[in-house]
Amino acid sequence: MSREIKGIHVFAMFAVGFSIIIGVNLTLATQAIRTFPGLETKNSYVASQSFDARRAAQLALGWDVKAGYADGILRLEIKDAHGPVDPSLIDATLGRATNVSQDQTPAFRFDGEAHLAAADLAPGNWNLRMKAIARDGTVFEQRVPFLVAE
């Protein structure tokens, strides 16, 4: 014996279905906003005024930067035309691209070839947002993405 589907039943199915969709979308949007600040700089206009000069000075250093991870060690290689570079200061934030909850500040030590820091990283994509100061005082800023294999 089958029941007859009436207009109120169809309306209820649509209302429940769309309520689920809207609820999931609101949850995902809330989580996205809560976990990703989206702010690179406080005043982009002011930052843009000196961008070209800072970029030219940074490019003049001729640094090639690479990051990698293996066996619990984060490896940051900074090289120029003469070989490995040991800047006077490295300030870095290590984290995921999409949230700040896993951000950490690695404590690098230079071994003559690369800068090394202990880190416990889960598999996936990571970003090292670094700021280094060259021996001549030039500020070098770069985001260095790398992949931690499973």
Side-chain angles (χ1 to χ4, degrees):
M1 173 194 234
S2 64
R3 288 183 53 187
E4 182 179 342
I5 298 178
K6 296 185 178 185
I8 190 72
H9 298 122
V10 173
F11 173 74
M13 287 187 289
F14 273 99
V16 168
F18 278 106
S19 295
I20 291 171
I21 292 169
I22 291 169
V24 168
N25 283 339
L26 288 173
T27 301
L28 291 175
T30 301
Q31 289 299 320
I33 291 169
R34 187 177 303 151
T35 60
F36 183 62
L39 182 65
E40 287 288 328
T41 181
K42 290 183 181 179
N43 188 332
S44 59
Y45 176 75
V46 172
S48 72
Q49 299 305 299
S50 61
F51 176 80
D52 287 332
R54 287 183 291 123
R55 182 183 60 156
Q58 183 168 310
L59 289 174
L61 292 172
W63 288 3
D64 181 34
V65 179
K66 293 179 183 149
Y69 178 79
D71 301 325
I73 301 294
L74 174 64
R75 182 179 180 89
L76 175 65
E77 294 180 4
I78 305 172
K79 295 183 178 180
D80 65 7
H82 306 291
V85 174
D86 184 18
S88 61
L89 172 72
I90 296 179
D91 183 26
T93 301
L94 175 64
R96 302 282 192 169
T98 55
N99 73 42
V100 296
S101 66
Q102 296 179 24
D103 281 6
Q104 47 191 291
T105 305
F108 286 108
R109 61 180 170 74
F110 188 61
D111 72 352
E113 289 292 318
H115 296 81
L116 308 173
D120 184 21
L121 304 182
N125 292 316
W126 288 85
N127 286 322
L128 182 67
R129 293 179 300 278
M130 64 166 284
K131 178 179 181 181
I133 300 181
R135 297 288 175 194
D136 68 359
T138 303
V139 175
F140 183 92
E141 294 178 289
Q142 188 168 350
R143 181 180 60 87
V144 186
F146 64 96
L147 177 67
V148 173
E150 291 189 40

